[in-house]
Amino acid sequence: MQLVIAMIASAAIVLGSPFMGQLQSFLRRSLSTRAYLWLFGVGLLVAIGVILVLALTRIRERRAPRFGLMAIALLFGGTYMWWTATPYPEINAVERVHFVQYGLIAFLFYRAWKYAGDPSIVILPLLAAFTVGTLDEWLQWFIPYRVGEAHDVFLNLASIVCGLLFAIAILPPAAFEARLHPASWHRVGTVSAVVWLIFAGFVSQVHLGHENDVPDIGRFKSHYSTAQLNALQADRAESWKTRPPIRIRRLSREDQYLDEGIWHVRRRNGAANVTEAWRENLILERFFVPVLDMPTYASPDGNRWPPEQRADFGARADAGVAFVSAAEAYPIVAWPAAGYWSVVAVVAMLLVLLPRAVARRAGCH
């Protein structure tokens, strides 16, 4: 039953992610910045207060080490939030709520497995909560106005660790052995393989792509090859004539081609020098003409340079410089898909087979 509760809470966080974006947008429109920050700040304090009250009422034995674990969790969590804080208070407020969410998920999964009585009571909740974070970021990658990448999945580990420290302090296991039991080896191996495959699928979708080398322009990374970009450019040039991407619903499918075009527009407009701006503009003129000429949610008037500006930049740019674009908003790696999935498959098999071998050897002694 505890595992079912943890899974339901996890599904609610993942499936509710698109709606959270809508809720945040509504609150920002409806409240002043001060009230918005107070709302999230008070919510965070209430959550921490509930946890502390729960601890005070439940912790009767071994108080020093258990309160010590809670103090470590608070110190670690506070340091993490300070270290990762941005200059934008609104973003920081949302990230702190996100921190509490994943701490709660880790706590719920810990309750489901704490009776194992070995290190799997920490390993399995950590893997399960990590998977929730992966699925959450994966869904966000498909949703407009949201960003999902592997970096954010690993950032969730801090809140997961804090959640586990709180869980152990409030609900310590009745018995514990430092070595994994044979049955736990099987569970850890199987769960690790599943988590690995889910994360590998996420990385494949979000971070695998192509490094395109175009004569007289330079190199740039994309989810698409040059042939695919040409096909997408022709498709968008036709479809956007009647349905330009001006008003995009939050609960819709993200157009990654449009996103990549906007990456290059932003890089061009904020370029450090004339040559970089010129090359970024050449990429746009070669592969993202619809983004230049048609209205989008990011630029209702299009993004094409006036002829005189284009002529000026072209005359001043250094044609002999080797150019590598840095427009991508998050890392894209040009790994061969076949090689990538071969490595993924081998690692998944090892994660299943090696723990079983260890369990068999442990059972023989």
Side-chain angles (χ1 to χ4, degrees):
M1 185 60 184
Q2 301 293 350
L3 184 59
V4 172
I5 293 173
M7 293 175 69
I8 290 173
S10 300
I13 286 178
V14 173
L15 297 177
S17 177
F19 301 97
M20 287 299 296
Q22 286 187 309
L23 176 61
Q24 292 165 21
S25 178
F26 170 76
L27 291 174
R28 287 188 180 185
R29 292 194 309 268
S30 305
L31 302 173
S32 66
T33 301
R34 184 183 180 88
Y36 180 84
L37 295 176
W38 267 99
L39 176 65
F40 282 94
V42 170
L44 178 66
L45 291 175
V46 168
I48 294 175
V50 168
I51 293 171
L52 293 176
V53 170
L54 181 63
L56 290 171
T57 57
R58 293 188 64 94
I59 296 178
R60 301 295 185 184
E61 302 174 349
R62 295 175 290 170
R63 296 170 66 90
R66 293 167 70 180
F67 279 118
L69 282 178
M70 295 186 66
I72 292 171
L74 288 171
L75 179 62
F76 176 66
T79 302
Y80 167 82
M81 286 188 281
W82 169 80
W83 180 59
T84 59
T86 71
Y88 310 104
E90 298 91 341
I91 295 176
N92 296 335
V94 174
E95 288 302 317
R96 287 162 187 164
V97 173
H98 202 61
F99 190 93
V100 173
Q101 282 182 327
Y102 278 93
L104 175 62
I105 290 298
F107 178 86
L108 293 176
F109 277 113
Y110 169 83
R111 288 204 311 169
W113 281 309
K114 79 182 186 72
Y115 302 102
D118 61 25
S120 68
I121 67 174
V122 173
I123 297 171
L124 292 176
L126 189 148
L127 290 172
F130 181 83
T131 301
V132 175
T134 302
L135 295 174
D136 187 9
E137 295 297 326
W138 201 345
L139 180 60
Q140 289 186 44
W141 187 78
F142 282 99
I143 301 297
Y145 308 108
R146 303 302 301 270
V147 177
E149 58 173 306
H151 173 264
D152 292 339
V153 177
F154 286 103
L155 286 180
N156 291 333
L157 286 174
S159 51
I160 292 169
V161 169
C162 287
L164 288 173
L165 290 173
F166 268 108
I168 294 170
I170 295 174
L171 299 171
F176 183 82
E177 293 183 20
R179 296 175 60 181
L180 285 172
H181 302 153
S184 293
W185 275 111
H186 285 270
R187 282 195 295 270
V188 168
T190 301
V191 172
S192 297
V194 172
V195 172
W196 168 251
L197 289 172
I198 291 172
F199 184 71
F202 167 73
V203 170
S204 174
Q205 182 93 61
V206 176
H207 293 289
L208 256 61
H210 303 266
E211 186 171 61
N212 298 310
D213 195 347
V214 184
D216 301 322
I217 295 180
R219 288 182 290 159
F220 68 97
K221 291 180 179 178
S222 170
H223 291 103
Y224 311 105
S225 66
T226 55
Q228 290 171 321
L229 285 170
N230 285 330
L232 288 167
Q233 180 172 236
D235 174 81
R236 299 305 189 272
E238 186 62 32
S239 64
W240 288 0
K241 288 179 181 178
T242 55
R243 299 190 309 276
I246 298 175
R247 305 180 71 177
I248 298 178
R249 291 177 296 127
R250 286 185 175 271
L251 300 182
S252 62
R253 175 72 164 86
E254 181 77 276
D255 186 341
Q256 302 299 335
Y257 171 82
L258 172 59
D259 275 359
E260 292 194 12
I262 292 173
W263 294 352
H264 290 286
V265 169
R266 289 172 177 164
R267 190 72 185 186
R268 180 197 68 180
N269 295 347
N273 54 67
V274 170
T275 299
E276 181 184 16
W278 174 247
R279 297 296 182 87
E280 290 291 352
N281 192 65
L282 289 179
I283 293 172
L284 288 162
E285 291 180 344
R286 177 66 178 80
F287 298 104
F288 298 96
V289 171
V291 179
L292 287 178
D293 292 338
M294 296 186 179
T296 68
Y297 73 92
S299 181
D301 299 321
N303 296 284
R304 186 174 289 278
W305 275 348
E308 57 275 12
Q309 182 179 5
R310 186 184 188 281
D312 175 57
F313 274 68
R316 292 191 292 131
D318 187 347
V321 173
F323 175 71
V324 179
S325 173
E328 62 271 15
Y330 47 80
I332 296 178
V333 292
W335 295 336
Y340 173 79
W341 282 110
S342 296
V343 172
V344 168
V346 169
V347 173
M349 286 190 291
L350 291 175
L351 288 172
V352 172
L353 297 176
L354 287 180
R356 293 176 184 271
V358 172
R360 283 196 297 270
R361 289 191 61 186
C364 294
H365 294 291

